[in-house]
């Protein structure tokens, strides 16, 4: 099967590479000539574990290629995926669909023979219909269907998520389109991965509902963490105690500094706009957005309090990205926390295993080559992202490097008892402060 993937951002690149691994012939298209030139040299512009290898192996096998010419790829394709960006539109939180509609116009001009056009970008309900209208208007007699196929990949584990998804969601209006998508996902279909075939609108909403629900779960446990701190309970035990109930489930119940990234903040906002336009408010999600936003600033206050004021102090910050195993800084809690600490007079020495380069573009921060370099001579350390390498720091060495043994751990990667024993003052989230 021949596939054209429009957009070589995160979703397009991972999906294109993994679909070629399924045996399809995939051309990934992007307007950015420099990026395509790099990809053709085997250089992958984002950090995602395992992606380099999948790209290299399939490019070598001749199944995966990169090009700027959309029309050649689309005219030969059985399925064309739209995986371009849908950023929040400036000012109102609506998803900006100009890239999606622009791609639809270009696809329309290039269609040749029956083709299924698939929106993979996260798009508001009703977008598939609009894409169909755009194409129909430009090419009234073209043979095509427009389907929705949202992705549920997590940054940092996207390759695994693609190979072994919990489910695939396909919104399609015709049997012909459904059959093409069944063929696209054939290896997974044979593996008995559940495929939810539904209408386009339902499929589009499933994506937003899933992300909003997960964001709600995180926000719920974050508020429970605040309550735990007040009443002397332990949020990790609360999470375990409720998560063992199969109806609740233990995942996405890690309290922390608030959710960030390229998806939850943008998608919850876009869902709110859709719900307001439809006059069907989703008040829970409204609250989730507000609570999460204020949480990041409150985390800075928590740090300031733990340090007894930060004016003139040096703080070692471990982790800047919104989560581990990515270099993505979009909506990372560090973007709120670090400037607030700096505004209060702190000097920040940060270390992030993969994010320093991206972080430098959005934060004015001194970065170090490793955790211990950041710690040397600092007044205390703050853990903002739970990279694995921070889980097993040599605590004696850490203590020796810091002016005072103070750790603020906003990801709860250490145990209070262990930290007390190691002689630290240890402040975490939703658990008792020790030392
Ligand atoms: C999220 C979803 O998990 C994916 O299913 C979805 O495909 C993707 O958005 C998307 O729409 O493209 P991602 O943004 O990569 O994936 O990251 P998550 O692992 O979901 O984490 C999001 C944020 O929530 C991070 O800031 C993370 O630190 C935070 N989080 C997550 C918590 O604070 N606690 C948790 O228990 C889990």
């Amino acid at each position: 099967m021949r596939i054209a993937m429009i957009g070589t951002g995160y979703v397009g690149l991972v999906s294109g590479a993994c679909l070629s691994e399924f045996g399809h012939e995939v051309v990934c298209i992007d307007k950015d000539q420099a990026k395509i030139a790099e990809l053709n040299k085997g250089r992958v512009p984002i950090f995602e574990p395992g992606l380099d290898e999948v790209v290299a192996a399939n490019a070598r096998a001749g199944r995966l290629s990169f090009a700027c010419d959309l029309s050649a790829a689309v005219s030969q394709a059985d399925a064309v995926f739209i995986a371009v960006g849908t950023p929040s539109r400036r000012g109102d939180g609506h998803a900006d669909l100009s890239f999606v509609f622009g791609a639809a116009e270009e696809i329309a001009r290039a269609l040749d023979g029956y083709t299924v056009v698939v929106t993979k970008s996260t798009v508001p309900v009703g977008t598939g219909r609009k894409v169909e209208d755009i194409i129909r208007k430009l090419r009234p007699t073209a043979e095509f269907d427009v389907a929705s196929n949202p992705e549920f990949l997590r940054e940092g584990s996207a390759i695994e998520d693609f190979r072994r998804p919990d489910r695939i969601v396909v919104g399609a209006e015709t049997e012909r389109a459904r059959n093409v998508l069944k063929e696209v996902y054939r290896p997974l279909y044979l593996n008995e991965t559940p495929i939810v075939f539904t209408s386009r609108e339902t499929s589009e909403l499933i994506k937003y509902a899933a992300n909003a629900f997960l964001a709600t779960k995180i926000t719920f446990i974050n508020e429970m963490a605040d309550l735990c701190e007040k009443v002397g309970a332990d949020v990790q035990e609360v999470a375990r105690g409720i998560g063992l109930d199969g109806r609740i489930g233990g995942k996405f119940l890690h309290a922390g500094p608030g959710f960030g990234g390229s998806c939850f903040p943008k998608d919850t906002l876009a869902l709110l706009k859709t719900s307001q336009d439809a006059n069907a408010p989703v008040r829970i999600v409204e609250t989730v957005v507000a609570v999460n936003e204020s949480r990041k600033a409150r985390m800075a206050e928590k740090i300031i309090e733990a340090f007894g004021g930060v004016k003139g102090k040096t703080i070692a910050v471990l982790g800047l990205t919104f989560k581990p195993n990515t270099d993505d800084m979009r909506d990372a809690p560090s973007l709120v926390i670090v400037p607030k600490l700096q505004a209060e007079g702190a000097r920040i020495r940060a270390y992030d295993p993969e994010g320093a380069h991206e972080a430098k573009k959005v934060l004015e921060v001194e970065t170090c080559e490793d955790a211990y370099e950041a710690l040397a001579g600092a007044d205390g350390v703050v853990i903002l992202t739970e990279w694995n390498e921070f889980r097993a720091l040599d605590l004696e060495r850490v203590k020796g490097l810091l002016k005072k043994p103070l750790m603020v751990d906003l990801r709860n990667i250490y145990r209070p008892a262990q930290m007390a024993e190691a002689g630290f003052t240890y402040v975490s989230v939703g658990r008792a402060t020790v030392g």
Side-chain angles (χ1 to χ4, degrees), residues 66 198 216 238 299:
F66 304 93
T198 181
T216 303
V238 170
M299 289 297 116

Side-chain angles (χ1 to χ4, degrees), residues 127-137 144 146 200:
T127 305
R129 201 162 293 281
K130 289 184 186 153
V131 168
E132 182 172 339
D133 291 346
I134 290 171
I135 301 177
R136 182 69 63 214
K137 210 164 151 203
F144 72 97
V146 175
R200 259 186 329 217

Side-chain angles (χ1 to χ4, degrees), residues 151-153 155 207 211 252 254 260 263 322-323 411:
E151 60 79 25
F152 302 98
L153 309 173
E155 290 191 20
K207 170 67 189 186
N211 273 1
F252 274 63
H254 298 290
C263 304
F322 82 97
K323 66 185 255 185
R411 299 290 185 169

Side-chain angles (χ1 to χ4, degrees), residues 14-145:
V14 171
S15 308
C18 290
L19 287 174
S20 69
E21 193 180 53
F22 287 176
H24 303 304
E25 219 175 283
V26 180
V27 187
C28 294
I29 306 292
D30 206 293
K31 286 192 160 55
D32 185 337
Q33 291 184 0
K35 198 175 186 187
I36 292 297
E38 287 295 290
L39 282 163
N40 274 324
K41 283 183 211 147
R43 287 201 275 269
V44 175
I46 52 170
F47 174 77
E48 176 63 36
L51 181 59
D52 291 26
E53 289 83 351
V54 180
V55 167
N58 289 285
R60 235 188 349 260
R63 285 188 296 263
L64 178 65
S65 58
F66 304 93
C68 294
D69 183 1
L70 181 141
S71 44
V74 168
S75 65
Q76 290 169 24
D78 303 294
V80 178
F81 284 81
I82 302 179
V84 296
T86 53
S88 278
R89 203 160 64 189
R90 203 176 286 272
D92 65 1
H94 267 294
D96 179 349
L97 295 174
S98 52
F99 300 114
V100 173
F101 295 153
E105 286 177 17
E106 287 188 59
I107 291 166
R109 292 195 187 93
L111 285 180
D112 187 3
Y114 178 71
T115 314
V116 181
V117 178
V118 192
T119 52
K120 201 159 220 357
S121 306
T122 300
V123 291
V125 182
T127 305
R129 201 162 293 281
K130 289 184 186 153
V131 168
E132 182 172 339
D133 291 346
I134 290 171
I135 301 177
R136 182 69 63 214
K137 210 164 151 203
L138 289 168
R139 292 285 305 279
T141 57
E143 264 195 294
F144 72 97
D145 277 304

Side-chain angles (χ1 to χ4, degrees), residues 328-373:
D328 200 334
M329 286 294 296
R330 285 177 283 180
D331 269 305
S334 65
L335 295 178
V336 175
I337 295 171
V338 167
K340 204 160 158 53
L341 296 177
Q342 288 169 325
E344 293 294 322
R347 173 180 169 212
I348 306 293
R349 288 163 56 81
Y351 167 65
D352 189 284
E354 294 292 338
H357 182 70
E358 289 300 313
K360 286 275 194 197
K361 297 182 189 165
V362 283
L363 283 174
E364 269 181 47
V365 68
E366 187 184 329
T367 53
C368 301
E369 289 305 308
D370 67 38
Y372 297 105
E373 187 191 326

